Short mmCIF file of all heavy atoms in Angstrom, two decimals:
data_model
loop_
_atom_site.label_atom_id
_atom_site.label_comp_id
_atom_site.label_asym_id
_atom_site.label_seq_id
_atom_site.Cartn_x
_atom_site.Cartn_y
_atom_site.Cartn_z
N ALA A 18 14.11 -24.39 1.16
CA ALA A 18 14.58 -25.84 1.23
C ALA A 18 13.43 -26.74 1.51
O ALA A 18 13.51 -27.57 2.37
CB ALA A 18 15.70 -25.96 2.24
N LEU A 19 12.37 -26.47 0.82
CA LEU A 19 11.20 -27.40 1.01
C LEU A 19 11.36 -28.54 0.04
O LEU A 19 10.39 -29.13 -0.45
CB LEU A 19 9.88 -26.65 0.73
CG LEU A 19 8.64 -27.34 1.30
CD1 LEU A 19 8.65 -27.42 2.76
CD2 LEU A 19 7.32 -26.60 0.82
N ALA A 20 12.58 -28.97 -0.15
CA ALA A 20 12.88 -30.15 -0.94
C ALA A 20 12.94 -29.83 -2.40
O ALA A 20 12.16 -29.08 -2.91
CB ALA A 20 11.89 -31.20 -0.69
N PHE A 60 9.69 -17.38 9.64
CA PHE A 60 9.68 -18.67 10.23
C PHE A 60 10.76 -18.92 11.25
O PHE A 60 10.73 -19.95 11.93
CB PHE A 60 9.82 -19.69 9.03
CG PHE A 60 8.60 -19.91 8.24
CD1 PHE A 60 8.38 -19.15 7.12
CD2 PHE A 60 7.66 -20.88 8.58
CE1 PHE A 60 7.23 -19.34 6.35
CE2 PHE A 60 6.49 -21.04 7.83
CZ PHE A 60 6.26 -20.31 6.69
N SER A 61 11.67 -18.00 11.34
CA SER A 61 12.84 -18.19 12.31
C SER A 61 12.31 -18.23 13.73
O SER A 61 13.02 -18.73 14.63
CB SER A 61 13.85 -17.11 12.08
OG SER A 61 13.33 -15.86 12.50
N TYR A 63 9.82 -19.87 14.90
CA TYR A 63 9.12 -21.15 15.21
C TYR A 63 10.09 -22.27 15.63
O TYR A 63 10.74 -22.89 14.61
CB TYR A 63 8.21 -21.65 14.06
CG TYR A 63 7.08 -20.62 13.77
CD1 TYR A 63 7.06 -19.93 12.59
CD2 TYR A 63 6.12 -20.40 14.72
CE1 TYR A 63 6.00 -19.04 12.30
CE2 TYR A 63 5.07 -19.55 14.45
CZ TYR A 63 5.06 -18.84 13.22
OH TYR A 63 4.05 -17.97 12.94
N THR A 65 9.16 -24.40 18.17
CA THR A 65 8.21 -25.35 18.82
C THR A 65 7.09 -25.72 17.97
O THR A 65 6.57 -24.85 17.23
CB THR A 65 7.63 -24.70 20.14
OG1 THR A 65 8.68 -24.34 21.03
CG2 THR A 65 6.78 -25.72 20.87
N ALA A 66 6.76 -27.00 17.88
CA ALA A 66 5.72 -27.51 16.95
C ALA A 66 4.60 -28.21 17.71
O ALA A 66 4.86 -28.88 18.77
CB ALA A 66 6.37 -28.48 15.92
N MET A 114 5.79 -38.19 13.62
CA MET A 114 6.00 -36.82 13.48
C MET A 114 6.80 -36.21 14.60
O MET A 114 7.78 -35.43 14.37
CB MET A 114 4.72 -36.02 13.32
CG MET A 114 3.98 -36.22 11.97
SD MET A 114 4.97 -35.44 10.59
CE MET A 114 4.89 -33.68 11.06
N LEU A 118 10.53 -34.52 14.17
CA LEU A 118 10.62 -33.12 14.45
C LEU A 118 11.65 -32.78 15.56
O LEU A 118 12.35 -31.73 15.59
CB LEU A 118 9.23 -32.48 14.82
CG LEU A 118 8.20 -32.34 13.67
CD1 LEU A 118 6.87 -31.99 14.19
CD2 LEU A 118 8.74 -31.28 12.68
N PHE A 124 13.24 -29.28 16.88
CA PHE A 124 12.11 -28.59 17.38
C PHE A 124 11.74 -29.24 18.80
O PHE A 124 12.15 -30.36 19.03
CB PHE A 124 10.85 -28.80 16.54
CG PHE A 124 10.89 -28.07 15.17
CD1 PHE A 124 11.45 -28.72 14.12
CD2 PHE A 124 10.42 -26.83 15.12
CE1 PHE A 124 11.53 -28.04 12.92
CE2 PHE A 124 10.57 -26.14 13.86
CZ PHE A 124 11.10 -26.74 12.76
N ILE A 135 4.35 -23.49 15.86
CA ILE A 135 3.80 -23.68 14.57
C ILE A 135 2.97 -24.92 14.68
O ILE A 135 3.42 -26.02 15.17
CB ILE A 135 4.90 -23.85 13.50
CG1 ILE A 135 4.24 -23.92 12.08
CG2 ILE A 135 5.81 -25.07 13.75
CD1 ILE A 135 5.16 -23.61 10.96
N ALA A 136 1.68 -24.93 14.25
CA ALA A 136 0.74 -26.02 14.35
C ALA A 136 0.71 -26.72 13.03
O ALA A 136 0.69 -26.08 11.97
CB ALA A 136 -0.65 -25.49 14.74
N ILE A 137 0.81 -28.05 13.11
CA ILE A 137 0.85 -28.88 11.92
C ILE A 137 -0.43 -29.78 11.90
O ILE A 137 -0.61 -30.60 12.80
CB ILE A 137 2.03 -29.78 11.91
CG1 ILE A 137 3.37 -28.88 12.00
CG2 ILE A 137 2.11 -30.65 10.68
CD1 ILE A 137 4.60 -29.65 12.22
N PHE A 177 0.13 -25.77 7.73
CA PHE A 177 1.04 -25.26 8.74
C PHE A 177 0.52 -23.85 9.13
O PHE A 177 0.30 -23.03 8.27
CB PHE A 177 2.47 -25.11 8.26
CG PHE A 177 2.99 -26.42 7.74
CD1 PHE A 177 2.77 -26.84 6.43
CD2 PHE A 177 3.76 -27.30 8.55
CE1 PHE A 177 3.30 -28.01 5.91
CE2 PHE A 177 4.32 -28.47 8.07
CZ PHE A 177 4.04 -28.86 6.76
N LEU A 186 0.20 -20.60 7.13
CA LEU A 186 1.44 -20.13 6.60
C LEU A 186 1.90 -20.95 5.45
O LEU A 186 2.78 -20.41 4.66
CB LEU A 186 2.45 -20.13 7.78
CG LEU A 186 2.08 -19.47 9.04
CD1 LEU A 186 3.15 -19.71 10.08
CD2 LEU A 186 1.74 -18.01 8.84
N ALA A 187 1.50 -22.20 5.35
CA ALA A 187 1.92 -23.04 4.19
C ALA A 187 1.02 -24.31 4.11
O ALA A 187 0.35 -24.62 5.11
CB ALA A 187 3.35 -23.56 4.46
N ALA A 220 7.16 -37.00 7.27
CA ALA A 220 7.61 -36.33 8.49
C ALA A 220 9.05 -35.78 8.26
O ALA A 220 9.38 -34.67 8.70
CB ALA A 220 7.66 -37.26 9.64
N SER A 221 9.91 -36.54 7.60
CA SER A 221 11.30 -36.12 7.31
C SER A 221 11.26 -34.85 6.47
O SER A 221 12.03 -33.93 6.63
CB SER A 221 12.08 -37.21 6.70
OG SER A 221 13.37 -36.77 6.34
N GLN A 222 10.37 -34.85 5.43
CA GLN A 222 10.26 -33.75 4.56
C GLN A 222 9.75 -32.49 5.29
O GLN A 222 10.19 -31.39 5.02
CB GLN A 222 9.35 -34.02 3.38
CG GLN A 222 10.09 -34.89 2.30
CD GLN A 222 9.25 -35.07 1.08
OE1 GLN A 222 9.07 -36.13 0.59
NE2 GLN A 222 8.67 -33.96 0.57
N VAL A 223 8.79 -32.69 6.16
CA VAL A 223 8.23 -31.64 6.96
C VAL A 223 9.37 -30.99 7.78
O VAL A 223 9.54 -29.74 7.87
CB VAL A 223 7.08 -32.09 7.86
CG1 VAL A 223 6.75 -31.01 8.93
CG2 VAL A 223 5.82 -32.35 7.00
N ARG A 224 10.08 -31.78 8.49
CA ARG A 224 11.16 -31.30 9.26
C ARG A 224 12.21 -30.51 8.48
O ARG A 224 12.57 -29.44 8.79
CB ARG A 224 11.90 -32.48 9.99
CG ARG A 224 13.12 -32.11 10.80
CD ARG A 224 13.82 -33.36 11.26
NE ARG A 224 15.09 -33.04 12.00
CZ ARG A 224 16.25 -32.78 11.46
NH1 ARG A 224 16.36 -32.81 10.14
NH2 ARG A 224 17.32 -32.50 12.22
N ASP A 225 12.63 -31.07 7.35
CA ASP A 225 13.68 -30.48 6.51
C ASP A 225 13.12 -29.18 5.94
O ASP A 225 13.87 -28.23 5.87
CB ASP A 225 14.14 -31.38 5.45
CG ASP A 225 14.92 -32.60 5.97
OD1 ASP A 225 15.33 -32.53 7.12
OD2 ASP A 225 15.12 -33.57 5.24
N GLY A 226 11.90 -29.19 5.53
CA GLY A 226 11.26 -28.05 4.97
C GLY A 226 11.14 -26.84 5.95
O GLY A 226 11.45 -25.72 5.55
N LEU A 227 10.71 -27.18 7.13
CA LEU A 227 10.59 -26.09 8.19
C LEU A 227 11.92 -25.52 8.56
O LEU A 227 12.08 -24.40 8.80
CB LEU A 227 9.85 -26.66 9.35
CG LEU A 227 8.36 -26.94 9.22
CD1 LEU A 227 7.73 -27.59 10.40
CD2 LEU A 227 7.61 -25.65 8.84
N LEU A 228 12.94 -26.44 8.62
CA LEU A 228 14.30 -25.98 8.99
C LEU A 228 14.87 -25.06 7.90
O LEU A 228 15.47 -24.07 8.16
CB LEU A 228 15.26 -27.17 9.19
CG LEU A 228 15.02 -27.97 10.45
CD1 LEU A 228 16.01 -29.10 10.54
CD2 LEU A 228 15.28 -27.04 11.73
N GLY A 229 14.53 -25.46 6.65
CA GLY A 229 14.95 -24.60 5.54
C GLY A 229 14.25 -23.23 5.55
O GLY A 229 14.94 -22.22 5.29
N LEU A 230 13.04 -23.23 5.85
CA LEU A 230 12.30 -21.95 5.90
C LEU A 230 12.77 -21.09 7.15
O LEU A 230 12.90 -19.88 7.05
CB LEU A 230 10.80 -22.24 6.03
CG LEU A 230 10.09 -22.73 4.81
CD1 LEU A 230 8.67 -23.21 5.16
CD2 LEU A 230 10.05 -21.60 3.72
N ARG A 231 13.10 -21.74 8.16
CA ARG A 231 13.59 -21.09 9.37
C ARG A 231 14.93 -20.45 9.07
O ARG A 231 15.23 -19.27 9.43
CB ARG A 231 13.70 -22.04 10.56
CG ARG A 231 13.84 -21.37 11.90
CD ARG A 231 13.54 -22.34 13.02
NE ARG A 231 14.54 -23.34 13.25
CZ ARG A 231 14.47 -24.35 14.10
NH1 ARG A 231 13.31 -24.48 14.72
NH2 ARG A 231 15.45 -25.20 14.31
N GLU A 232 15.84 -21.16 8.43
CA GLU A 232 17.15 -20.70 8.04
C GLU A 232 17.05 -19.51 7.07
O GLU A 232 17.77 -18.52 7.19
CB GLU A 232 18.05 -21.78 7.44
CG GLU A 232 19.41 -21.33 7.00
CD GLU A 232 20.26 -22.48 6.40
OE1 GLU A 232 19.65 -23.54 6.15
OE2 GLU A 232 21.47 -22.22 6.14
N ARG A 233 16.14 -19.65 6.12
CA ARG A 233 15.90 -18.55 5.08
C ARG A 233 15.50 -17.29 5.85
O ARG A 233 15.95 -16.20 5.57
CB ARG A 233 14.94 -19.04 4.06
CG ARG A 233 14.40 -17.97 3.16
CD ARG A 233 13.32 -18.46 2.27
NE ARG A 233 12.63 -17.39 1.58
CZ ARG A 233 11.55 -16.77 2.17
NH1 ARG A 233 11.14 -17.16 3.31
NH2 ARG A 233 10.97 -15.82 1.49
N SER A 234 14.52 -17.40 6.74
CA SER A 234 14.09 -16.22 7.43
C SER A 234 15.19 -15.58 8.36
O SER A 234 15.32 -14.36 8.39
CB SER A 234 12.87 -16.63 8.36
OG SER A 234 11.79 -16.97 7.61
#
Side-chain angles (χ1 to χ4, degrees):
L19 196 63
F60 284 92
S61 67
Y63 298 113
T65 303
M114 284 295 295
L118 288 169
F124 293 88
I135 190 162
I137 302 170
F177 304 84
L186 310 176
S221 178
Q222 283 187 228
V223 165
R224 175 187 178 276
D225 292 346
L227 289 175
L228 286 178
L230 288 169
R231 196 162 75 187
E232 180 181 7
R233 168 184 167 272
S234 293

